[in-house]
Amino acid sequence: MGVAIRRSVGLAGLAGRSAHTLRPCIAIASLPSPLNQQYSAPSRPPPNYPGHVPLNRLEKAALAIGSGLMSLRDPRRGDLIAAFAEATATPYFIYRLQDAMLASPTGRRILRDRPRITSTSLNLPYLRALAPNTVGRTYIDWLDREGVSPDTRAAVRYIDDAECAYVMQRYRECHDFYHALTGLPVVREGEVALKAFEFANTLLPMTGLSVFAAATLKAPERRRFVGTYLPWAVRNGLRAREVINVYWEEELETDVDELRRRLGVEAPPDLRAIRKAEREERRRKAAEGGV
Amino acid sequence: MDSIIRRRTAAYVCRSCIQRTRNHIQQRAYSRAAQPDIYDVVCVGGGPAGLSLLTALRANPVTSHFRIALVEAQDLSKMQSWKLPPDRFSNRCSSLTPSSALFLDKIGAWDHLARDRVQPYHEMQVWDGVSDARIEFDWAPDAAPSADTTIAYMTENLNLTSGLLKRLAQLGGVSVFDSARVEKISLGEQTEAQDLREWPVVNLAGGRQLFARLLVGADGADSPVRSFAGIEARGWDYGRHGVVATLELQGEGWGGDQMKTAYQRFLPTGPVAMLPLPGNYSTLVWSTTPENASLLKRLPTKDFVALVNAAFRLRPTDLEFMHTQSKGQAEEYSWRMEHTPSHGKLIPQVVTGVQEGTIASFPLKMRHADTYIGERVALVGDAAHTIHPLAGQGLNQGQGDVQSLAKIIEYAVNHGQDIGARLSLEPYLAERYATNHVLMGVCDKLHKLYSVGSGPLVPLRSLGLNAVNVLGPLKKFVMSQAAGHGIKVF
């Protein structure tokens, strides 16, 4: 991306400056501000929160196209997927998600408290000691099984409104909880199925566009996705309550089936078990064939 | 007759029978002399419309010879002597357009209003609560405020009626029947002297009967005169209540005391308007659902003030949530304000207090009578039409009706016509019906258009609003139509 992005250094919070939204307002069309995004690189406004990088419309569009294409080529580039999510979240979608949080009493509490999910904020040994079918235990078992840690989430940079930036950050950090809730594994097939579910539930464009990564799956995986997991994702994503409004820190000791029932989510067929069975079937056939 | 009987019969009839006959004749003589109390105009209803009409008739030399009666259920002497201290304002206020004010001046009532309680305003900010699309009404954006650039005059309804009553008392010549209940309106009878079978009779409690050459119904939305005339009023209820209150603001307005601004924001539940009064007071008119209205009336002052401030600043989702809380809106409001961008001077100043006892609500509906005239009957004001308050046109429509009816009555007198005949009243119907109908239709469609909270209609209507805002001639057309001095389209 040949666009020079000037990183602002040391401007912490700027508490005195009110947060900006991107709603159209004719009266202030002449000022260079994130509100109208008409500014050029030399006249970039100061950041709204630590790590904020204000981009104008052209830069955001370029970032969206570039990161979208490159993350399709290499889906393990989490940073590109994160940038793609932020560049495509405005104008409408992140505000819709913010409204969904503000409409729910729990969502409002999350926005007030602004909890973060990191390996330091969650007490991992405590989670391991929880009873087997609790949310917390399922989560830590899934983390251990897939070999991931809660710290692998990038900080939000390209969303201008500070509260919307938190909403995106919260979505990103809860992604692993969604894996634990649904039981889908980290492999490409599982990620694509979970993204389809997230799109039906949160309506973030990145999640919807990630479903096109199904084109890069192997043929039997694609068939399984289209036949089983995509219908499951759409059906459950639409009928479930907004998963962004789940206060995970308070639900750690809840029974995971009870949480699924409360949210309206049914567990899909266990993908790891299916893949393992298929692998063993292939190995058996190969062994028989060889003999 | 009496002397004839005495002379002719005195010799043949006894004294007591003569006396009895004499009494009988005297009684018949009384019944013949008991003439019906006929007035040229009987006006039922002493509100702004009725009082304006009578003042106009009395002030005009052509019609000032009329025998006029005013019937009103309330005590008019109390209304005439109404007075409040300068820091207290009644919660029922109306926005008088310049053409209404001109008419009131023409009939001589404008000077009798307490002018220090009337607030002219020169700017209006109207915006969409969902998309923030905005339209700014201002006759001369950069000029100093003057009488020519006034958009409207905010007046308390009681100030207006008090001024009209004072002018009417000054003119005299009106038989006032106040604190009078109308028991029945019927038609007269045929007697030897006259045939009053087509003349309306207002029967007051206590036996008084007023015969009317022309009966004017200015008696409000549930008009008995209208039902007497057999005229139906058709329309619908909006399922909304208008909450009114007198508010105290942080200051006298962004432009100071000389340059006041009216504000209106369209929320999905209905428009919320803050209209300026003298000093740092304003009147609130918030059209919202009945549940929200009853919550607003129940809240402690601190939370009510926070909810009113939120109505002009926070997004509809926040407002919806705050309406589900039974208390604690003040704290919720201060948290949300930390995360809401500032609109600067485009929104009203912060409300700091509410005048005690002024929070009230009334149901909103739209009604239009099938016709404004009947045989010796004419309807003016709310008796003829009820409108949504979002454009501040209701009282002005009534004043427009009165102006028209007074002119038509003058014409009828000048041409020797019977003022109560349908032929004479027909021009009034022709002049006012279509105009009122279109205005009510436009306000109704605006209400319906802005009731939509999401979907494709929101950007479409925002585009339309922004377009009208930048198209100068179109905006001037809308403003002059609302002010009442635009081209007569219908």
Side-chain angles (χ1 to χ4, degrees), chain A residues 18-21 23-27 95 98-100 102-105 108-109 111-112 114 161 163, chain B residues 130-134 136 315 317-318 321-322 331-332 335-336 338-342 346 466 469-470:
Chain A
S18 59
H20 295 282
T21 62
R23 296 205 176 88
C25 191
I26 289 182
Y95 302 120
Q98 185 192 18
D99 259 358
L102 287 169
S104 139
R108 289 180 91 90
R109 268 193 310 124
L111 286 174
R112 268 189 205 253
R114 301 235 180 146
D161 182 65
E163 198 171 56
Chain B
V130 178
S131 70
D132 270 350
R134 183 173 281 267
E136 289 150 344
R315 61 179 73 193
T317 320
D318 285 324
F321 180 79
M322 286 167 83
E331 201 273 311
E332 193 77 20
W335 167 52
R336 287 317 297 161
E338 291 170 23
H339 302 287
T340 305
S342 155
L346 296 173
N466 284 329
N469 195 28
V470 296

